[in-house]
Amino acid sequence: MKKKNPHLRKALDLAVKGLSSLGSGIGIAVLFWILFEVVRRGAAAFNPAFFTELPAPPGVEGGGLANAMLGTLMITGLAALFGVPAGMLGGVYLSEYGRGKRFGDVVRFVMSAMMGVPSILVGLFAYGLLVVTSGHFSGWAAVFALAMIMIPIVSRTTEEMLLLVPNALREAALAVGSPRWKVTLSVLFRAARGGLVTGVLLAVARVTGETAPLLFTALNSPYWPDKLSEPTANLTVTIFNYAMSPYENWQRAAWGGSLLIVASVLALTLGARILSREKKT
Amino acid sequence: MSQARPAGRWGDRLFGALSFGCAALALLLMAGLFFEIASGSAQALSRFGLGFVSSSAWDPVRQDFGALSSIFGTLVSTFIALLFAVPLSLVIALFLVELAPPFISRPVGLAIELLAAIPSIIYGMWGLFVFAPWLSEHLQPFLQELFGEECFLVAGPPIGIGMLPAGIILAFMVLPYTSSVMRDVFQMVPPVVKEAAHGMGSTTWEATRRVTMRYGIQGLVGAIFLGLGRAVGETMAVTFVIGNEHRLSGSLFAPGNTIASTLANEFNEASEPMYRSSLFALGLTLLVMTLLIQVATHLWLRRIQRKMGAGL
């Protein structure tokens, strides 16, 4: 090997160290830049009316996004109601029944492929399956799309968490005569509770901010979401529509909606992290 | 289990069937997704054939559609994203594993991971209202001076909208995924190997480049695959800042589009069946692209796992 000047080598090393600190600094700076702008511009839109009233027409001051907040809560909540049990049972199959079986491997592969499908294509699927056949946009189609996004996420974490439970626990519970369903639900689920809740929180956080799958399903609406069989108001599509509009008061409302979304997603994500850390120590 | 009480046996059968059903549901949903998007594209594909992917036409008035500009935009924006994200996540991983003490690397690692928690639409809002004006005021005039105004790469007005802004924002979005895999790869390298390098007098960078990176090169490539899969299908952030124009341009400043942004932007306006079917065909193209990337990633990671043991 060619002999190199040690000063040069040290200088290069120092340069790379400097670069890597700078790179990390850029990553952090971007995160805080985004959070700062969202909080600053979003908080300016907050007032009592913002949380209690229907949207105002362009150019008219006042009004709020209460209908969109309610709609997002309804759509996300219902999606979790369907997606979480389905995902958990799928994860139970993968960890408790499908070990080493070819069908289990196929399901595992398809689940990971499902996780990688762009969410806008899930929206396209829900549009073709539910909107075209029923003849109108609906909140239910959005619920379907979001549940489909949640299933592989919940299933993956459920499988991972159940696999962490020692086999001795299963054997002990089975040995005293408990049926398998009871072993799974009251022994394994209890042992893995922290991890399971973490997985659910992360899945809910993920779909709370989803916009693309709602574009062709829930669409949006200026009215209260009293029926999910019609176009349903929701925060993320409202943000998109308002941001693209030329009206200043709508753009301000879009920032208010953004702050709400960011706050809920970060609260869910950090909550999940705290839970999983408590579990470990 | 044959002596179990009848109630337990029935419960077990029901529970087993339910969980099998939910596992099968995943297969059903994926098959349905593929079928629904393919059948939606049928009309467009039967009229344009395979020429759909090589035609740059996009004319709703004359009902003439082709995917080329959207595919081009998807590839270019993804390429720009990886161009920024890969080196950046490499140095971040290096910082977290080799340089920073735990009380620094833990919060920094958390901050980088939180970039993944921010929803796409928030990146879009920030990109359009904050980052684009900043770009057009600072970075773009600088680049135009650097390359010269006539250079095709930076042609066009510096308005902060287009391929370059979309690529940069995508880079920040895939950064947490690639850097977290790279960090895992760096951590997997046995300390003995690194210590041996240091023992022979290597500096940190030399040990990283000659030993750590060489040892984990396959994992690093796997991280790039992962980022690729993420960037290709990103929708909302890109839709906000790419400009949404169907055109092929070599300029980084020119507005363009991607498959996902075209879908998000035009689907609800498309009232004619042929227009809508062409959008479905765009979706099918994107689906095939992401599935190919997924399969490649899967095979690649399995190869590494076989070679290096589990843990990645």
Side-chain angles (χ1 to χ4, degrees):
Chain A
M1 206 169 86
K2 207 170 56 188
K3 221 176 176 176
K4 278 191 201 159
N5 182 345
H7 294 296
L8 250 171
R9 288 174 50 206
K10 272 192 186 153
L12 183 66
D13 189 49
L14 216 65
V16 171
K17 281 178 177 167
L19 263 181
S20 74
S21 311
L22 181 74
S24 308
I26 291 178
I28 298 173
V30 168
L31 175 74
F32 282 104
W33 191 3
I34 294 174
L35 292 182
F36 172 75
E37 292 290 347
V38 169
V39 171
R40 188 172 69 89
R41 299 176 187 223
F46 281 4
N47 54 47
F50 185 76
F51 294 94
T52 53
E53 284 178 22
L54 288 176
V60 178
E61 287 303 317
L65 297 182
N67 60 335
M69 294 171 205
L70 188 64
T72 289
L73 274 180
M74 284 164 68
I75 292 173
T76 313
L78 282 168
L81 202 65
F82 292 114
V84 168
M88 279 198 171
L89 281 172
V92 166
Y93 177 81
L94 290 178
S95 100
E96 304 301 309
Y97 297 94
R99 286 278 108 200
K101 283 190 197 153
R102 161 140 306 158
F103 184 72
D105 289 339
V106 172
V107 170
R108 201 168 293 116
F109 176 70
V110 168
M111 287 272 195
S112 75
M114 217 164 139
M115 237 187 286
V117 169
S119 59
I120 190 156
L121 296 182
V122 178
L124 210 55
F125 172 39
Y127 172 86
L129 188 70
L130 298 172
V131 176
V132 171
T133 45
S134 72
H136 47 82
F137 293 97
S138 73
W140 285 116
V143 170
F144 171 82
L146 293 188
M148 179 167 168
I149 293 171
M150 291 180 87
I151 286 176
I153 307 176
V154 175
S155 162
R156 151 88 51 102
T157 47
T158 306
E159 185 196 2
E160 280 172 0
M161 291 305 137
L162 290 183
L163 283 177
L164 289 179
V165 178
N167 246 334
L169 212 57
R170 286 186 185 84
E171 287 158 4
L174 286 170
V176 296
S178 323
R180 201 147 182 194
W181 65 271
K182 213 168 187 177
V183 174
T184 309
L185 289 185
S186 53
V187 179
L188 302 185
F189 269 37
R190 187 165 299 174
R193 194 173 43 198
L196 295 180
V197 175
T198 304
V200 171
L201 289 182
L202 287 178
V204 174
R206 162 82 199 276
V207 299
T208 302
E210 280 291 357
T211 314
L214 305 183
L215 287 173
F216 324 142
T217 52
L219 207 66
N220 201 0
S221 144
Y223 308 112
W224 289 103
D226 45 3
K227 266 194 297 194
L228 282 182
S229 52
E230 288 169 355
T232 307
N234 63 86
L235 270 177
T236 44
V237 177
T238 304
I239 296 173
F240 179 51
N241 292 343
Y242 279 20
M244 293 299 178
S245 79
Y247 312 113
E248 207 253 331
N249 67 323
W250 275 16
Q251 291 183 359
R252 199 164 352 114
W255 279 107
S258 301
L259 176 53
L260 277 182
I261 291 284
V262 167
S264 6
V265 169
L266 284 188
L268 286 165
T269 310
L270 290 174
R273 282 191 72 97
I274 290 166
L275 252 174
S276 69
R277 187 169 313 154
E278 269 173 8
K279 182 81 189 136
K280 262 178 228 153
T281 48
Chain B
M1 288 303 290
S2 53
Q3 291 102 344
R5 282 165 309 185
R9 212 171 54 218
W10 282 109
D12 267 359
R13 268 199 205 150
L14 186 69
F15 188 68
L18 259 179
S19 57
F20 178 84
C22 287
L25 180 68
L27 303 191
L28 207 68
L29 285 173
M30 265 311 264
L33 178 112
F34 198 85
F35 173 79
E36 198 63 58
I37 293 179
S39 73
S41 337
Q43 197 187 355
L45 290 183
S46 69
R47 170 149 157 208
F48 303 114
L50 273 181
F52 180 73
V53 292
S54 60
S55 154
S56 63
W58 194 268
D59 191 342
V61 181
R62 289 185 19 238
Q63 299 278 296
D64 188 11
F65 299 101
L68 191 63
S69 76
S70 301
I71 295 175
F72 173 79
T74 305
L75 295 179
V76 171
S77 60
T78 304
F79 178 75
I80 298 174
L82 291 181
L83 205 64
F84 286 105
V86 169
L88 201 56
S89 43
L90 197 68
V91 296
I92 289 175
L94 183 69
F95 178 82
L96 293 176
V97 177
E98 307 288 353
L99 293 185
F103 73 93
I104 293 182
S105 79
R106 197 165 306 150
V108 171
L110 175 66
I112 302 288
E113 275 173 38
L114 280 184
L115 280 174
I118 294 180
S120 184
I121 188 155
I122 304 300
Y123 278 99
M125 289 291 286
W126 175 77
L128 180 64
F129 291 108
V130 181
F131 193 57
W134 184 84
L135 266 185
S136 73
E137 245 172 74
H138 297 96
L139 187 68
Q140 289 186 329
F142 168 75
L143 284 178
Q144 277 185 333
E145 228 163 82
L146 190 73
F147 287 105
E149 296 243 1
E150 304 82 42
C151 177
F152 75 94
L153 270 179
V154 294
I159 49 172
I161 296 288
M163 281 297 176
L164 183 69
I168 295 178
I169 289 173
L170 274 178
F172 293 133
M173 298 180 75
V174 303
L175 181 69
Y177 297 96
T178 46
S179 73
S180 114
V181 175
M182 287 182 178
R183 187 175 65 175
D184 291 348
V185 169
F186 280 6
Q187 273 166 346
M188 261 171 48
V189 178
V192 187
V193 187
K194 278 187 237 171
E195 282 157 16
H198 285 296
M200 295 191 44
S202 303
T203 60
T204 306
W205 168 238
E206 284 163 347
T208 302
R209 192 167 64 91
R210 300 236 168 93
V211 178
T212 313
M213 279 173 70
R214 210 162 278 185
Y215 188 94
I217 182 72
Q218 292 179 319
L220 298 180
V221 173
I224 299 175
F225 271 122
L226 187 79
L228 185 68
R230 283 267 146 197
V232 160
E234 259 312 325
T235 309
M236 297 318 295
V238 175
T239 308
F240 270 84
V241 295
I242 203 162
N244 298 307
E245 267 186 39
H246 290 271
R247 73 166 164 189
L248 294 161
S249 166
S251 170
L252 290 171
F253 294 2
N257 63 347
T258 69
I259 295 177
S261 78
T262 305
L263 280 171
N265 215 42
E266 299 183 21
F267 195 80
N268 285 334
E269 297 165 8
S271 44
E272 303 86 358
M274 183 57 74
Y275 193 177
R276 202 148 259 198
S277 177
S278 301
L279 287 166
F280 263 100
L282 271 186
L284 185 66
T285 317
L286 179 61
L287 183 62
V288 170
M289 280 165 76
T290 46
L291 288 183
L292 285 179
I293 297 171
Q294 295 263 323
V295 171
T297 315
H298 184 78
L299 293 178
W300 181 265
L301 287 180
R302 213 169 57 181
R303 217 183 98 191
I304 310 173
Q305 272 170 356
R306 209 173 293 149
K307 213 177 127 190
M308 300 174 51
L312 198 72

